[in-house]
Amino acid sequence: MNDGEAPDLRTRHKQATREAIGAAALRLAIEQGPNGLALVRVNDIAAAAGVSPRTYNNYFSSREEAICAFQADRARRLGAALRSRPAEEPLDQAITAAVVGHFTTPEPDRAGLRMIMSTPELEGEALKAFTMAEGPLAEAIAERTGTDPARDLFPQVTAAAVAGAVRVAGRCWLSPGNTDPFAAVLRRALAHVLPATRSDGPHEPPRETQG
Amino acid sequence: MNDGEAPDLRTRHKQATREAIGAAALRLAIEQGPNGLALVRVNDIAAAAGVSPRTYNNYFSSREEAICAFQADRARRLGAALRSRPAEEPLDQAITAAVVGHFTTPEPDRAGLRMIMSTPELEGEALKAFTMAEGPLAEAIAERTGTDPARDLFPQVTAAAVAGAVRVAGRCWLSPGNTDPFAAVLRRALAHVLPATRSDGPHEPPRETQG
DNA sequence: CCCACAATTTGCGCACCACGCATCAAATGC
DNA sequence: GCATTTGATGCGTGGTGCGCAAATTGTGGG
């Protein structure tokens, strides 16, 4: 489950610093709103995180990267989440369970997500984060289905489709008037792409309705 | 087919300038290789395009944006390409034909695509471009299927899945040892996500092999 | 407990870049 | 032809990313 137990004191402190900078950056970005991203200066982020500006730049090479660090780190672990599902579980159920569990514990911060999704530059960075997750996810899918990723596009394409569904679900969850929990929206979105992962029967595309 | 005929002389010159800058930027980036993106200075791009550095910055606000402008402009028209397909065509066939026709006329430049896909910063920009295409594409899908995008996630999710498939197909096409034309790879990739768009029969996930 | 070694933080400086502003030239409309 | 609109250019400024070297702090051996 956890790989590499003994966290060196140095490593722990490094991780804490990274998270502190990321959290400070996200908080300041939220304060300024989607149109005031340029007003979030590096000095402010560093000061809010209690480090020097140079140290900030030692961890991140752009404000966007710092602000989206939390999302990026989370996305990076998606492949491991799928691997932790029981091997007997059908692929679509395993993916759904892994994704839902991975992106709803804890329930994501609405303000932070909205900030990221409604700011073009940040959305680009979040996109990069999701794409980084596709590689490990595709590997996990290939391993689970016994597919050779070098000869079959199925794992990569499925991983990309899943990542896209998660992204769309995020947008939908944030849309005004939506009352469903994130998990429900995620399931609905995934249901549209996961039927392609089964070859054992017909699929009735779910035509759900949303408030 | 073409909306807004009379291209104003000014507009034409503007478009030409934009394309010149984009082409120059891409050419210089290819010359420097994936690891030398930082060596592509704004001054060089402007000089190669025959404009002043200030003018360059009037069209693009980052080197990455300029380098990927061609891809971005192409991706932006994907929705229109789908709309131009006959309405009787089934959705999956229409999408396949639209995507294949749109991304293979002309056959994309291998060097440029490889440069973009193998440079993290450029890949991020290309990602943004693909995502920009998802909106119009989802609209076209919704229109074709008579679906309300505000109540059903199907158009957006499908658009995202298609965009992801195109991206994966691009990577595969560029992978060393691949000999298939881009159109073939695109069809294989799309075949993995488009079965979800049909509810009229069973789908045998194509287990193709690739060299 | 003390010391040598390694890793991290920090300050400084430089090159570069995005962008606002004012100006100039060219195209457009009358 | 002339007034106006629109894009191109030059200049100045604030801000950023990063290389470099010194100071600070954690780590392991005697």
Side-chain angles (χ1 to χ4, degrees):
Chain A
M1 199 68 83
N2 43 13
D3 40 21
E5 185 53 39
D8 195 348
L9 198 163
R10 259 188 168 126
T11 310
R12 248 182 307 167
H13 189 266
K14 220 167 131 75
Q15 184 70 15
T17 303
R18 180 184 168 87
E19 290 176 4
I21 298 176
L26 181 55
R27 184 168 58 80
L28 291 182
I30 293 175
E31 286 180 4
Q32 296 294 337
N35 297 335
L37 195 152
L39 302 184
V40 179
R41 310 266 191 248
V42 167
N43 295 317
D44 305 335
I45 300 176
V51 296
S52 97
R54 187 65 184 84
T55 299
Y56 148 84
N57 218 350
N58 232 342
Y59 282 86
F60 303 103
S61 51
S62 73
R63 290 185 301 279
E64 296 82 6
E65 193 182 339
I67 295 174
C68 298
F70 185 69
Q71 299 286 356
D73 291 346
R74 173 175 288 199
R76 231 183 298 276
R77 300 178 217 271
L78 182 56
L82 177 57
R83 280 180 209 275
S84 74
R85 300 297 308 178
E88 317 84 54
E89 208 171 17
L91 180 61
D92 58 341
Q93 293 179 27
I95 291 179
T96 301
V99 168
V100 171
H102 192 65
F103 286 102
T104 58
T105 53
E107 184 92 345
D109 175 33
R110 269 193 147 87
L113 250 185
R114 175 162 294 154
M115 174 69 199
I116 292 178
M117 303 293 278
S118 61
T119 307
E121 288 115 322
L122 296 184
E123 197 185 1
E125 192 67 27
L127 236 42
K128 265 175 55 180
F130 275 120
T131 306
M132 302 294 287
E134 285 180 19
L137 183 58
E139 276 183 41
I141 293 176
E143 189 173 306
R144 175 176 285 263
T145 60
T147 313
D148 179 11
R151 299 175 56 85
D152 197 323
L153 295 177
F154 170 75
Q156 302 245 12
V157 173
T158 303
V162 168
V166 173
R167 197 159 38 76
V168 172
R171 252 207 301 272
C172 172
W173 182 61
L174 292 174
S175 70
N178 172 68
T179 59
D180 296 345
F182 191 33
V185 185
L186 270 174
R187 282 182 216 277
R188 290 214 318 268
L190 288 172
H192 284 294
V193 297
L194 289 183
T197 67
R198 315 189 57 167
S199 59
D200 51 13
H203 326 296
E204 193 63 27
R207 286 301 159 103
E208 85 289 352
T209 58
Q210 163 217 348
Chain B
M1 204 70 81
N2 43 15
D3 39 20
E5 187 53 40
D8 195 348
L9 198 163
R10 261 187 167 129
T11 309
R12 250 181 307 166
H13 188 266
K14 219 168 132 75
Q15 184 70 14
T17 304
R18 179 186 169 88
E19 290 176 5
I21 298 175
L26 181 56
R27 184 169 57 80
L28 291 181
I30 294 175
E31 286 179 4
Q32 295 295 336
N35 298 336
L37 196 152
L39 302 183
V40 179
R41 310 270 192 244
V42 167
N43 295 316
D44 305 336
I45 299 177
V51 296
S52 96
R54 186 65 184 84
T55 299
Y56 147 84
N57 213 23
N58 224 342
Y59 283 86
F60 304 103
S61 52
S62 74
R63 291 185 302 278
E64 297 82 6
E65 192 181 342
I67 296 173
C68 299
F70 185 70
Q71 299 287 357
D73 291 345
R74 173 174 288 200
R76 231 183 300 276
R77 300 178 216 272
L78 182 56
L82 177 57
R83 280 181 209 274
S84 74
R85 300 298 307 177
E88 318 84 55
E89 208 171 18
L91 180 61
D92 58 341
Q93 293 179 28
I95 289 179
T96 301
V99 168
V100 170
H102 193 65
F103 286 102
T104 59
T105 53
E107 183 94 344
D109 174 32
R110 267 194 149 85
L113 214 58
R114 176 161 295 158
M115 174 68 198
I116 291 178
M117 302 293 278
S118 61
T119 306
E121 287 115 320
L122 296 185
E123 198 185 0
E125 192 67 27
L127 236 40
K128 264 173 56 179
F130 275 120
T131 305
M132 302 293 288
E134 286 179 20
L137 182 59
E139 275 182 43
I141 293 175
E143 190 174 306
R144 177 176 283 263
T145 59
T147 312
D148 178 10
R151 298 176 55 86
D152 198 322
L153 294 177
F154 171 76
Q156 303 245 11
V157 172
T158 304
V162 168
V166 173
R167 197 158 40 76
V168 172
R171 253 207 300 272
C172 172
W173 182 60
L174 292 174
S175 69
N178 172 67
T179 59
D180 296 344
F182 191 33
V185 185
L186 270 176
R187 283 182 215 277
R188 291 214 318 270
L190 287 172
H192 284 296
V193 296
L194 289 183
T197 67
R198 314 189 57 169
S199 58
D200 52 12
H203 328 295
E204 191 65 25
R207 285 302 158 102
E208 86 291 353
T209 58
Q210 162 217 348

